[in-house]
Amino acid sequence: MASTSVKIFVVGGTGAQGIPVISGLVRDKKYQVRVLTRNRASPRARQLEALGNVEFIEGSFASESDLRRGFRGCDGAFINIDGFNCGEKTETYWAMRAYELAIEEGITFFVYGNLDYGYKKGGYDPKYRCGHYDAKGRIAEWLLFQNQFNQSRMRAAVFTSGPYIDMAIAIGTPMSSTVEDGVVTWRVPLGSGAVPHVCLEDCGFYVRWMFDNPGKASGMDLEVAIEHVHYKELARAFEAVTGHPARFIDEPMDSYWASGPLSRAAELGGGYNSDPSDPAFMTIRENFTGFWNLWKDSGKNQGVIKRDYKLLDEIHPNRIRTVEQWFRAANNQGQKDGRGSLWDRVQPGNMQPILKLHEDGRKGSL
């Protein structure tokens, strides 16, 4: 897939992960990208358009005709459905249907944007049920099974990410920080666990590697992260980079839901288009309680969710390897581009969103 004529269809291109993925694909004009979007005039779509080698079709991932229009004439596909839009049940159906339609339309390499199947990895313990993770994780296993039989028509692979490290310094995320008496504070129910945070820019490198090497990537579940981040280390790294005090407070789950960053939305649906009358409906509280339980039991890369960091070093020798390294890069870049230092950016009123659903205001349609 290395010729200049290769065209990739992308679902999820205007999301936090989609932007660096597309940037990585078109940076040297080796690939052309077609993006499915609800609004080609949105700020994120215009940001992508400015990269060059990017075209758009307006439509929905929950439409066979729109998916067919997207796939038709393309060689590859990167499909990362927004589970916060549709909810677990709807994502499950449309992810499977997207794979099937891709085969029909002649796609030769299909990469699925995934998250860990934490419920299964945790032994089907209900405390780990996290709808927006499990929906993707089930599909990833199904897709890799299908790939055993369909490789002669279309190769497929899975790209498994996780919570972006940017979420620790952004507004409206499960781990948004606060500034309390001059101290940057993360009050989250993590205990001695760790979050396998992901660097978005590195996501662009990994996905590009997969499209450059479809023979190696076919059948692979490439699970990525910077490192397993313990939040005492997160606070220490912030202090080391900024010179300002920071701390982690292990917040009890009940207190987190009473006053934490997601507390006001706790009883809303995990997918803003999901139906509260549907038995499959999960609230944000239910969804993210499972989310935090996964990380509480994943400390030191020895618990429920693990990563093969040796493999990641081999694929991407220059990857970001520590949270301090990422903080330093983010601090320098923010000062360079006018957003300010990390310390400036975590102040009340200055924090910006990273997740697209915050910009959408949890409104929209499939």
Side-chain angles (χ1 to χ4, degrees):
M1 301 195 70
S3 80
T4 56
S5 64
V6 172
K7 182 178 283 189
I8 310 298
F9 175 51
V10 175
V11 172
T14 58
Q17 185 181 129
I19 291 173
V21 165
I22 292 172
S23 298
L25 289 171
V26 305
R27 68 174 185 269
D28 56 1
K29 311 307 178 186
K30 194 173 183 179
Y31 296 92
Q32 298 176 4
V33 173
R34 176 185 294 160
V35 180
L36 179 67
T37 179
R38 295 194 301 271
N39 179 10
R40 63 183 303 157
S42 71
R44 291 188 182 219
R46 289 176 176 172
Q47 179 182 348
L48 289 173
E49 189 173 29
L51 296 173
N53 270 28
V54 178
E55 65 182 50
F56 298 91
I57 60 168
E58 289 190 335
S60 165
F61 64 78
S63 163
E64 287 200 11
S65 61
D66 290 343
L67 288 173
R68 287 186 188 279
R69 284 194 299 131
F71 288 129
R72 195 159 295 159
C74 288
D75 305 280
F78 178 76
I79 308 299
N80 187 18
I81 291 175
D82 181 3
F84 294 118
N85 177 313
C86 59
E88 179 180 11
K89 185 175 180 180
T90 299
E91 180 175 6
T92 299
Y93 173 81
W94 282 108
M96 295 174 78
R97 197 71 187 106
Y99 173 85
E100 294 167 343
L101 293 171
I103 293 180
E104 282 193 37
E105 295 294 338
I107 295 296
T108 60
F109 187 49
F110 184 102
V111 178
Y112 176 64
N114 185 45
L115 294 167
D116 290 276
Y117 191 178
Y119 181 42
K120 178 182 178 181
K121 289 182 177 182
Y124 299 100
D125 188 325
K127 75 177 184 178
Y128 299 125
R129 274 284 287 122
C130 177
H132 78 285
Y133 269 63
D134 296 335
K136 289 186 181 296
R138 294 188 195 99
I139 293 302
E141 292 197 347
W142 175 86
L143 185 148
L144 293 177
F145 178 76
Q146 299 301 316
N147 188 58
Q148 296 177 37
F149 308 97
N150 297 328
Q151 289 189 69
S152 62
R153 294 186 64 183
M154 182 178 79
R155 291 167 168 169
V158 170
F159 176 67
T160 301
S161 61
Y164 313 133
I165 185 59
D166 313 64
M167 292 164 64
I169 57 168
I171 194 170
T173 81
M175 57 274 297
S176 294
S177 63
T178 57
V179 179
E180 302 176 11
D181 298 323
V183 180
V184 177
T185 303
W186 286 275
R187 291 182 176 269
V188 294
L190 186 58
S192 60
V195 181
H197 274 300
V198 170
C199 171
L200 283 167
E201 292 305 312
D202 283 351
C203 288
F205 181 97
Y206 291 124
V207 173
R208 171 64 183 261
W209 178 87
M210 297 176 87
F211 280 103
D212 282 347
N213 300 278
K216 292 180 181 179
S218 181
M220 173 184 284
D221 180 358
L222 181 57
E223 300 176 320
V224 306
I226 296 171
E227 63 173 336
H228 276 60
V229 181
H230 296 260
Y231 269 38
K232 284 186 178 179
E233 173 58 23
L234 181 81
R236 186 211 63 76
F238 188 93
E239 287 188 348
V241 170
T242 68
H244 293 277
R247 63 182 174 177
F248 157 59
I249 295 177
D250 182 26
E251 193 80 351
M253 193 73 76
D254 288 345
S255 299
Y256 176 83
W257 286 114
S259 59
L262 301 182
S263 57
R264 292 186 179 182
E267 303 311 319
L268 297 178
Y272 53 74
N273 281 309
S274 56
D275 180 0
S277 66
D278 190 322
F281 180 83
M282 288 187 80
T283 65
I284 285 176
R285 181 197 301 266
E286 292 168 334
N287 185 76
F288 283 99
T289 294
F291 172 92
W292 281 114
N293 283 333
L294 282 175
W295 314 135
K296 286 180 73 171
D297 292 343
S298 296
K300 299 181 180 180
N301 200 23
Q302 296 175 353
V304 177
I305 305 300
K306 302 183 180 72
R307 293 290 185 261
D308 183 347
Y309 291 109
K310 181 179 179 181
L311 173 64
L312 298 182
D313 290 342
E314 292 172 357
I315 291 174
H316 187 6
N318 296 320
R319 72 180 186 88
I320 297 291
R321 287 180 167 82
T322 68
V323 67
E324 182 174 337
Q325 185 183 0
W326 187 87
F327 274 154
R328 290 195 183 280
N331 190 61
N332 293 338
Q333 185 61 42
Q335 291 176 319
K336 181 178 179 181
D337 63 24
R339 289 177 296 161
S341 68
L342 284 179
W343 174 251
D344 296 328
R345 287 155 59 188
V346 299
Q347 299 306 305
N350 289 352
M351 292 180 72
Q352 298 297 310
I354 184 66
L355 301 177
K356 189 171 183 293
L357 68 89
H358 189 277
E359 295 181 15
D360 290 343
R362 290 184 57 84
K363 297 177 183 177
S365 62
L366 299 175

